[in-house]
């Protein structure tokens, strides 16, 4: 952040003089209210309106070069009654050294509201930590006066069914309606410029009387959420103020943004698990906005990356992709004419995943847009040197950024405001086109069943995991998707599934003719849920429920984010894509509040609850604090109902308490006259420690969010604290060590960041940093890691009976640091599994970790570690690719004949021992000779799930080179002393999307002291 002040000022003075000359010449040469030769309004100030000279002078002072500004923002119009941002900031927007807290931004917006009839402020919700989020509407007084009437018009355009799909009626509404352009800023907390840019933008839109701005104000309602990640913004301002107070010290990185996740907060638009996503989504849908434009800062100088690169999301309307091109190209053209370098719209960002905040618009018939501008991670002015690829001139970036430049937050604000104003003006000029497109995209969604399909998605009433089904449907409800329920049973026809053609032989062709696949039907019981596709927001349901395929041959070789996300698969529930239009004629009724049935049925004092791998079962166990709960180790049947392994047998709970608790979580309990005669073990409410590093809290945040939603209690501690706890076993039964998010190497987790130089990096709440900790962890110095003492404490915890659960990179840490024996983890060499849904297979159904799961389990994988097993201590497991070939050596006879040696009788070779890829190779007789390294059978790794065969590995997304991981272990339980280390190669808890695999973690917690149940030992 820091740059010596004299260097900054020395460079800036030259720039300021140039800016002043540039501005003066421009204002003299361009008359107000003039129109260009093409008839468009010229972007220039109104010479009849006075400017705020002091403010304008500071704009020019803080702009580091004349080409980093434009005629739209190089001045500020004066107002006698409306305060400028200086009233709150103490300086102009983008001034060096000034970052306002969210409350200061809100204070200014509310001052604007009091002073101007062109501004209204709305509260749109709160964050996880209770901070307010707002939306600021800026438009003409007439438009704001008629917000309700205008919203009613937009609502009709948003739902063409209200118009009976009448284009003529839509045209009348288009002629009368005022569109809404929604701008959001600072979802990524280290990207700091947007709040001040949006403060000043709101002022300009309310006060400026130039024809260019007036046309925006009168023709469009600009809606602004200046700070999306409010919790993270206040932490970032704290850090920046600390840096300003300690200019010679290194400053801590922003380890926490919101309460749960950092950068991934912009990947939540599918699952809608975060408050910020829900608040922005609700605002967008309620206002019936046409655009959602999200502001970011990671690219010099302005990258309108919505156009980006392919592949585009397969479910968006082509009308939208045309709109991306139209607005993006015009944006670049206008800013290039202003002489602003580094503005471009093509690049390497693929618009495939619908997880980004801006994609709320794309999935709800609007226009999604995103700017990447340039920022310094604070308000210091710095000299920035770019990498060659950043300033290279290419076909798609003809006016690239400069190799080196002095860059200020004011420069950032100039670019953001200029880009937004040119976009707003173009949008306003063409508002009838965009409003009509808004209607047409909604109409095409309503017509989807007959035009492109499918007709509906059906979730059956006899779902074995009704609570998970309800959770999936509630996600769709958050997305404003309409859900219906069938009043009676019905049948649909399913399309013929094309089979791969056989070899081109006459015999094969004759067989194909005789065995031509026939259409099939599928029956659904009454009460099945139907997600009709003839509704305005059909596309978001289609995108979430359908399967995705990213070709390994796609020209885009670096997917920007996940490539697969099929929600039915990841939630572990049945979803059928139906193309049969007759499904729309089924008698059904709208459902507005989906909740799985729950409660107690039958008579008796003992209760049984089936385990179908539903996370709500863990919630229930922690609710029933005083009850005795056992888990059945084998399936059983009682009262005419079948129960899976792991089903709960509950004693000592009052029927009323159990009925209430079960109803709340959506689970059914059956009262029994007598306990089932089946082997069982106690299910205790484990004491859980949740461990994080100070390297990154990004990925583990999704795990915390899941546990909090499920109301599973835990102590949140850092790796630093492990060594300071004398007896981990006295406090905890289970230690969760979720993914760091990347693998920095095992010694980095041990050693942390360098402490041999520099100053401590504190993360704690102080008078200087009052917002830093919030509801998360704190430390005097972020640099130290787990330490070797901490590693020894973890090992002792497991040896004395504790359970350590790791996933992806922390599983590699466990294997490489010797916390397990007989398991090695390898990184892939050629494999590319980029955030995809893959198939796994149940190997050991007797393990409590597997309770409730079927043979096939879809799971999320992002190039997970490749586990290999060995029964020999200290041996590195062999990584095997696919099915191994055991062909004989070259010699006499056929492939099945034995070889021979000339001159001696033939000797029969002993039978070769074989094993499956997920298994440890069998121990040979030679290895047993003085076999002190042979791991006893009871101490060997137990594979619970493995990856599917290569042909079945891909479910959704991209899998290339999958033979590297196919059939290898996916979940392994490794005994160690009296305890266990559980290793996950998949990530079972991720972005609120993988709820079908949550129970693998929860089963481990619930059965922590009985993980050896159902284990079958090898004979030797």
């Amino acid at each position: 952040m820091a740059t010596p002040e004299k260097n900054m000022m020395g460079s800036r003075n030259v720039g300021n003089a140039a800016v002043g000359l540039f501005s003066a010449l421009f204002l003299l040469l361009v008359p107000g209210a003039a129109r260009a030769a093409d008839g468009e309004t010229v972007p220039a100030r109104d010479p009849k309106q006075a400017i705020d000279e002091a403010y304008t002078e500071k704009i020019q002072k803080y702009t580091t070069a004349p080409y980093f500004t434009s005629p739209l923002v190089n001045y500020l119009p004066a107002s006698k009654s409306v305060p400028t941002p200086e009233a709150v900031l103490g300086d102009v927007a983008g001034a060096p050294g000034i970052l306002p807290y969210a409350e200061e931004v809100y204070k200014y917006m509310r001052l604007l509201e009091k002073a101007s009839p062109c501004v209204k402020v709305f509260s749109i919700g709160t964050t996880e930590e209770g901070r307010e989020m707002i939306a600021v509407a800026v438009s003409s007084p007439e438009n704001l006066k008629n917000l309700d009437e205008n919203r009613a018009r937009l609502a009709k355009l948003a739902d063409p069914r209200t118009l009976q799909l009448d284009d003529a009626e839509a045209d009348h509404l288009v002629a009368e309606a005022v569109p809404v352009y929604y701008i959001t800023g600072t979802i990524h907390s280290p990207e700091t410029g947007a709040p001040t840019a949006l403060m000043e933008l709101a002022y300009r839109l309310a006060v400026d009387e130039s024809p260019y701005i007036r046309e925006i104000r009168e023709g469009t309602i600009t809606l602004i959420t200046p700070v999306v990640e409010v919790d993270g913004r206040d932490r970032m301002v704290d850090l920046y103020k600390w840096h300003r107070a300690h200019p010679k010290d290194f400053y801590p990185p922003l380890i926490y943004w919101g309460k749960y996740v950092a950068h991934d907060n912009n990947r939540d638009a599918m699952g809608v698990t975060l408050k910020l996503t829900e608040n922005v989504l609700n605002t967008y849908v309620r206002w019936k906005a046409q655009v959602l434009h999200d502001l970011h800062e990671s690219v010099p100088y302005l990258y309108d990356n919505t156009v980006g690169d392919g592949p585009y999301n397969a479910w968006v309307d082509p009308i939208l992709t045309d709109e991306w091109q139209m607005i993006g190209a015009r944006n670049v053209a206008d800013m290039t004419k202003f002489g602003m370098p580094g503005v471009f719209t093509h690049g390497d960002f693929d618009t495939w995943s619908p997880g980004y905040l801006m994609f709320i618009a794309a999935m709800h018939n609007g226009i999604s847009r995103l700017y990447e501008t340039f920022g310094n991670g604070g308000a210091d002015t710095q000299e920035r040197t770019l990498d060659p690829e950043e300033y290279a001139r290419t076909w798609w970036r003809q006016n690239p950024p400069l190799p080196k430049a002095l860059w200020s937050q004011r420069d950032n604000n100039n670019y953001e405001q200029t880009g937004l104003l040119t976009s707003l003006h173009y949008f306003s000029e063409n508002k009838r086109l965009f409003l009509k497109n808004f209607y047409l995209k909604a109409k095409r969604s309503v017509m989807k069943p007959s035009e492109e399909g499918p007709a509906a998605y059906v979730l059956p009433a006899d779902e074995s995991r009704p609570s998970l089904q309800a959770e999936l449907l509630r996600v769709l409800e958050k997305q404003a998707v309409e859900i219906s329920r069938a009043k009676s049973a019905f049948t649909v026809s399913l399309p013929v599934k094309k089979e791969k053609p056989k070899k081109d032989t006459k015999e094969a062709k004759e067989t194909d003719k005789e065995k031509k696949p026939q259409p099939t039907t599928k029956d659904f019981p009454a009460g099945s849920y139907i997600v009709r596709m003839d509704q305005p927001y059909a596309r978001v349901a289609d995108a979430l429920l359908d399967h995705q395929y990213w070709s390994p041959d796609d020209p885009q070789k670096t997917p920007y984010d996940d490539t697969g996300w099929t929600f039915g698969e990841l939630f572990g529930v049945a979803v059928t894509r139906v193309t049969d239009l007759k499904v729309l004629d089924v008698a059904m009724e709208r459902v507005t509040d989906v909740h799985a049935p729950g409660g107690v049925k039958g008579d008796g004092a003992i209760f049984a609850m089936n385990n179908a791998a539903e996370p709500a079962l863990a919630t229930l166990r922690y609710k029933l604090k005083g009850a005795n709960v056992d888990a059945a180790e084998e399936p059983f049947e009682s009262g005419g109902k079948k129960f899976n392994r792991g089903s709960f047998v509950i004693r000592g709970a009052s029927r009323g308490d159990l009925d209430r608790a079960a109803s709340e979580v959506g689970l059914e309990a059956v009262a029994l006259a007598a306990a089932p005669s089946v082997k069982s073990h106690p299910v205790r409410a484990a004491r859980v420690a949740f461990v994080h590093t100070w390297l990154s809290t990004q990925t583990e945040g999704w795990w915390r969010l899941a546990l909090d939603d499920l109301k599973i209690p835990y102590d949140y501690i850092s790796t630093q604290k492990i060594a300071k706890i004398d007896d981990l076993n006295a406090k905890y039964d289970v230690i969760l060590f979720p993914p760091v998010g990347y693998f920095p190497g095992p010694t980095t987790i041990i050693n942390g960041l360098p402490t041999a130089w520099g100053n401590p990096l504190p993360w704690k709440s102080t008078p200087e940093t009052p917002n830093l900790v919030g509801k998360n962890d704190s430390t005097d110095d972020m640099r130290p890691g787990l330490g070797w003492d901490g590693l020894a404490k973890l090992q002792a915890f497991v040896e004395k009976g504790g359970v350590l659960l790791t996933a992806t990179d922390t599983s590699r840490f466990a294997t490489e640091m010797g916390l397990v024996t007989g398991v090695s983890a390898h990184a892939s060499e050629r494999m590319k599994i980029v955030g995809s849904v893959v198939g796994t297979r149940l190997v050991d159904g007797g393990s409590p970790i597997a309770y409730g799961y079927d043979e096939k389990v879809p799971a999320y994988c992002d190039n997970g570690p490749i586990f290999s097993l060995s029964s020999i201590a200290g041996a590195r497991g062999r990584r095997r690719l696919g099915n191994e070939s055991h062909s004989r050596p070259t010699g006499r006879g056929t492939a099945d004949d034995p070889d021979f040696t000339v001159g001696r009788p033939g000797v029969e070779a002993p039978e070769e021992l074989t094993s499956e890829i997920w298994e440890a190779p069998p121990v040979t007789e030679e290895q047993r000779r003085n076999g002190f390294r042979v791991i006893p059978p009871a101490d060997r790794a137990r594979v619970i799930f493995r990856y599917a065969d290569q042909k079945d590995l891909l479910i959704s997304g991209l899998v290339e080179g999958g033979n590297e991981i196919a059939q290898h272990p996916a979940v392994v339980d490794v005994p160690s002393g009296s305890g266990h280390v559980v290793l996950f190669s998949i990530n079972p808890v991720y972005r609120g999307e993988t709820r079908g695999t949550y129970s693998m973690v929860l089963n481990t917690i619930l059965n922590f002291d009985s993980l050896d149940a159902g284990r079958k030992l090898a004979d030797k």
Side-chain angles (χ1 to χ4, degrees):
M1 290 181 184
T3 301
E5 190 68 21
K6 61 180 182 180
N7 291 344
M8 297 193 315
M9 294 303 296
S11 300
R12 191 185 298 139
N13 289 336
V14 177
N16 288 338
V19 172
L21 178 60
F22 171 85
S23 304
L25 287 172
F26 195 97
L27 294 174
L28 285 170
L29 293 173
V30 181
R35 291 193 173 269
D38 57 8
E40 291 192 1
T41 305
V42 173
R45 79 173 187 87
D46 180 1
K48 297 177 184 178
Q49 185 179 21
I51 65 170
D52 186 321
E53 293 184 1
Y55 197 106
T56 299
E57 184 179 342
K58 287 183 177 179
I59 289 175
Q60 296 171 2
K61 177 182 178 182
Y62 300 144
T63 299
T64 61
Y67 37 75
F68 290 156
T69 189
S70 75
L72 290 172
V73 298
N74 64 1
Y75 72 96
L76 194 77
S79 172
K80 295 180 179 179
S81 58
V82 180
T84 71
E86 194 168 10
V88 169
L89 300 177
D91 208 332
V92 306
I98 296 176
L99 280 188
Y101 288 107
E103 274 298 325
E104 295 175 290
V105 179
Y106 298 172
K107 179 181 178 181
Y108 176 69
M109 293 302 194
R110 289 185 164 116
L111 287 177
L112 271 185
E113 180 183 33
K114 289 180 180 178
S116 171
C118 298
V119 181
K120 282 192 175 183
V121 179
F122 300 86
S123 185
I124 62 171
T126 58
T127 68
E128 282 81 2
E129 296 186 359
R131 293 180 176 90
E132 184 188 22
M133 291 178 64
I134 67 169
V136 183
V138 189
S139 194
S140 69
E142 184 70 16
N143 289 340
L144 294 185
K145 180 183 176 182
N146 298 312
L147 281 179
D148 291 340
E149 293 89 335
N150 188 66
R151 188 175 293 144
R153 295 187 191 101
L154 294 177
K156 290 180 180 179
L157 293 174
D159 188 353
R161 296 171 301 180
T162 62
L163 307 176
Q164 289 74 49
L165 309 187
D166 186 337
D167 291 354
E169 182 62 26
D171 288 338
H172 289 305
L173 292 168
V174 165
E176 296 173 352
V178 181
V180 178
Y181 195 110
Y182 189 15
I183 303 167
T184 54
T186 313
I187 187 173
H188 283 166
S189 304
E191 300 168 0
T192 56
T196 50
L198 294 173
M199 290 166 72
E200 191 174 282
L201 179 73
Y203 175 90
R204 292 181 186 280
L205 291 174
V207 169
D208 201 324
E209 292 299 330
S210 70
Y212 192 90
I213 303 298
R214 199 168 60 243
E215 287 171 6
I216 297 171
R217 184 166 62 242
E218 294 172 356
T220 301
I221 297 167
T222 303
L223 195 63
I224 301 169
T225 292
V227 184
V228 173
E229 177 52 273
V230 186
D231 299 333
R233 171 66 180 191
D234 285 0
R235 291 191 176 97
M236 183 64 199
V237 176
D238 273 3
L239 275 187
Y240 182 69
K241 289 181 181 294
W242 190 92
H243 150 67
R244 297 284 294 179
H246 306 83
K248 295 181 180 179
D249 288 344
F250 296 118
Y251 48 88
L254 192 67
I255 193 72
Y256 294 102
W257 299 10
K259 179 180 178 182
Y260 293 112
V261 295
H263 190 274
D264 258 16
N265 60 8
N266 193 36
R267 303 295 186 272
D268 187 47
M270 288 190 280
V272 197
T273 61
L274 302 174
K275 289 290 187 182
L276 64 82
T277 315
E278 188 173 0
N279 293 338
V280 171
L281 171 58
N282 289 341
T283 303
Y284 180 86
V285 171
R286 286 171 187 161
W287 280 78
K288 308 302 178 188
Q290 283 64 61
V291 181
L292 178 56
H293 193 153
D294 197 27
L295 303 181
H296 292 253
E297 297 169 22
S298 68
V299 177
Y301 296 103
L302 191 148
Y303 173 25
D304 180 357
N305 78 349
T306 319
V307 175
D309 195 2
Y312 284 172
N313 181 277
W315 293 267
V316 300
D317 195 309
I319 292 176
L320 168 61
T321 62
D322 290 342
E323 290 170 321
W324 287 341
Q325 304 285 344
M326 292 164 61
I327 302 177
R330 180 57 183 265
N331 223 170
V332 174
D334 284 351
M335 294 182 72
T336 301
K337 289 175 187 175
F338 293 151
M340 302 177 80
V343 181
F344 58 103
T345 191
H346 292 279
D348 60 2
F349 172 78
D350 65 77
T351 312
W352 173 250
S353 167
Y356 312 107
L357 187 76
M358 66 161 178
F359 236 76
I360 288 170
M363 293 285 99
H364 294 82
N365 301 320
I367 304 171
S368 54
R369 300 200 68 208
L370 188 149
Y371 279 168
E372 291 283 5
T373 50
F374 204 36
N376 290 338
D380 289 352
T381 301
Q382 294 181 314
E383 187 170 75
R384 301 292 299 274
T385 302
L386 306 185
D387 293 332
E389 61 267 23
E390 291 180 302
Y391 60 78
R393 186 176 63 82
T394 65
W395 71 264
W396 43 268
R397 188 174 56 198
Q398 286 289 311
N399 183 22
L402 306 174
K404 180 184 287 190
L406 188 69
W407 187 260
S408 68
Q409 183 161 263
R410 183 64 218 185
D411 297 333
N412 165 280
N413 282 196
N414 289 341
Y415 267 76
E416 286 191 343
Q417 287 188 77
T418 300
L420 289 169
L421 287 169
T422 56
S423 292
L424 283 164
H425 191 266
Y426 178 69
F427 178 78
S428 188
E429 276 188 318
N430 296 278
K431 62 183 178 182
R432 306 300 171 215
L433 167 67
F434 292 119
L435 280 169
K436 185 61 179 286
N437 283 354
F438 179 67
Y439 160 78
L440 287 175
K441 285 179 286 188
K443 178 183 177 182
R444 284 152 68 105
S445 291
V446 171
M447 297 174 65
K448 187 174 173 57
S450 59
E451 297 299 317
E452 67 194 68
Y457 286 89
V458 179
L459 289 77
D462 55 1
E463 168 62 53
S464 63
R465 298 184 176 99
S467 66
L468 278 169
Q469 182 188 70
E471 287 187 35
L472 173 53
L473 290 168
R474 283 195 290 270
V475 171
L476 296 179
E477 283 183 320
K478 285 184 178 181
Q479 296 279 3
V481 172
E482 297 170 4
I483 299 167
S484 301
R485 203 162 192 187
K487 294 182 178 180
S488 58
F490 61 96
T491 302
V492 298
S493 297
L494 299 180
V496 175
K497 191 169 184 179
K498 293 183 179 179
E499 296 182 356
K500 291 182 180 179
K502 297 176 182 176
K503 290 183 179 179
D504 190 18
T505 64
K506 183 177 180 183
E507 205 173 286
K509 287 180 180 178
E510 292 298 323
T511 304
D512 287 345
K513 286 180 182 178
E514 293 173 9
K515 297 184 177 180
K516 188 175 181 180
Q518 298 298 312
T520 58
T521 60
K522 189 173 179 67
D523 299 325
F524 292 96
S528 293
Y529 291 100
I530 301 173
V531 182
R532 303 174 64 102
M533 290 291 102
D534 57 348
Q535 59 172 296
Y537 299 146
R539 293 196 187 282
V540 66
D542 198 14
L544 297 185
L545 299 177
D546 205 351
H547 287 73
Q548 297 78 42
Y549 177 73
W550 184 301
S551 171
D553 298 324
D554 195 282
Q556 176 64 269
K557 297 303 179 186
T558 55
Y560 200 81
D561 201 68
D562 291 343
T563 59
W565 52 82
T566 307
F567 270 42
E569 302 283 5
L570 289 176
F571 276 63
V573 300
V575 178
T576 302
R577 186 177 189 267
V578 178
T579 56
D580 185 354
L581 290 173
K582 291 180 181 178
V583 70
L584 301 178
D585 297 327
V586 172
M588 65 183 81
E589 57 188 357
R590 279 283 304 278
V591 179
T592 55
D593 183 20
V594 177
H595 189 78
V600 179
K601 295 182 177 179
D603 298 315
I606 296 173
F607 309 95
M609 187 167 283
N610 187 45
N611 189 336
E614 295 174 274
L617 206 60
T619 304
L620 185 80
R621 177 63 192 95
Y622 278 90
K623 279 178 175 285
L624 302 176
K625 294 178 181 178
N628 295 318
V629 181
D630 291 331
E633 295 183 6
E634 295 294 337
F636 66 93
E637 188 171 346
S638 183
K641 183 175 175 62
K642 293 182 179 179
F643 294 87
N644 299 327
R645 275 193 189 95
S647 293
F648 282 4
V649 178
I650 304 169
R651 300 174 179 86
S654 76
R655 184 187 181 98
D657 289 344
L658 180 58
D659 187 64
R660 277 190 300 274
S663 296
E664 287 173 7
V665 300
L667 295 174
E668 291 187 347
V670 178
L672 306 177
S677 55
V678 63
K679 187 178 180 182
S680 63
H681 62 257
V683 177
R684 308 181 214 279
R687 303 166 300 164
V688 179
F690 188 115
V691 176
H692 70 91
T693 70
W694 287 105
L695 301 171
S696 171
T697 62
Q698 166 71 14
T699 309
E700 57 91 351
W702 294 116
W703 289 57
R704 280 189 286 123
L705 178 58
L707 293 181
D708 286 351
D709 283 349
L710 291 165
K711 296 180 173 57
I712 308 297
Y714 58 90
D715 284 352
Y716 185 54
I717 61 176
S718 76
T719 49
Q720 294 176 358
K721 195 170 182 179
I722 294 290
K724 298 175 184 177
I725 299 174
D726 292 332
D727 186 354
L728 287 169
N729 298 82
K731 293 191 69 173
Y732 305 115
D733 304 306
V734 177
I735 294 178
L736 301 180
F737 195 3
V740 176
Y742 66 102
F743 188 57
T747 56
T748 305
I749 292 177
I750 298 266
N751 296 326
L753 300 172
T755 57
W757 62 83
N759 52 275
L761 302 177
W763 186 274
K764 56 196 303 185
S765 291
T766 68
E768 282 184 321
T769 55
N771 304 286
L772 213 53
V773 173
K775 297 182 179 180
N776 293 319
D777 204 358
S778 63
T779 180
D780 291 328
D781 189 359
M782 295 169 60
R783 297 175 301 166
L786 174 66
W788 296 102
D789 287 345
L791 179 65
K793 289 285 183 70
L794 278 182
Q795 193 158 24
F797 168 78
V798 174
E799 293 288 327
K800 291 194 290 184
V803 173
L804 173 66
L805 186 149
T806 63
T808 64
D809 51 62
T810 55
S811 291
R812 286 189 63 187
F813 168 78
T815 60
E816 294 188 22
M817 295 312 299
L819 291 174
V820 297
T821 302
V823 183
S824 60
H826 313 265
S828 63
E829 295 175 355
R830 298 175 303 279
M831 179 180 74
K832 185 187 284 188
I833 301 178
V834 183
S836 300
V837 187
V838 300
T840 70
R841 298 293 181 264
L842 179 62
V843 174
D844 190 341
S847 166
I849 297 172
Y851 283 167
Y853 282 101
D854 303 319
E855 180 194 352
K856 298 180 179 180
V857 181
Y860 173 85
C861 179
D862 187 33
N863 264 24
I866 302 167
F867 295 148
S868 298
L869 270 55
S870 173
S871 296
I872 309 300
R876 189 169 178 83
R878 293 183 297 144
R879 181 167 60 173
R880 295 177 281 178
L881 303 180
N883 295 318
E884 287 193 271
S885 173
H886 296 284
S887 60
R888 51 156 285 191
T890 302
R892 66 151 295 279
T894 67
D896 299 323
D897 288 329
D899 198 7
F900 80 114
T901 301
V902 175
R904 77 180 194 203
V907 177
E908 185 175 347
E911 183 180 350
E912 185 177 356
L913 299 175
T914 61
S915 63
E916 302 287 358
I917 288 176
W918 61 89
E919 296 175 329
V923 180
T924 66
E925 292 298 330
E926 286 295 307
Q927 289 170 329
R928 287 195 179 92
R929 294 176 62 240
N930 192 25
F932 59 87
R933 293 175 59 203
V934 177
I935 303 170
D939 293 330
R940 292 176 191 170
R942 182 182 187 185
V943 177
I944 315 302
F945 294 92
R946 67 169 176 88
Y947 286 100
D949 298 355
Q950 185 178 357
K951 65 182 178 62
D952 300 318
L953 190 59
L954 173 64
I955 294 176
S956 275
L958 167 65
V959 172
E960 184 176 6
N963 63 319
E964 280 197 77
I965 206 168
Q967 299 186 335
H968 278 265
V971 182
V972 185
D973 173 13
V974 189
S976 180
S978 299
H980 296 257
V981 179
V982 180
L983 308 170
F984 283 81
S985 171
I986 60 171
N987 187 349
V989 183
Y990 180 73
R991 292 183 179 175
E993 299 170 11
T994 61
R995 301 184 201 197
T997 49
Y998 281 11
S999 286
M1000 295 182 186
V1001 174
L1002 299 171
N1003 281 342
T1004 304
I1005 293 172
L1006 295 177
N1007 300 278
F1008 71 94
D1009 53 355
S1010 300
L1011 291 182
D1012 283 328
R1015 183 179 181 119
K1016 296 177 181 178
L1017 301 180
D1019 293 335
K1020 295 182 181 179

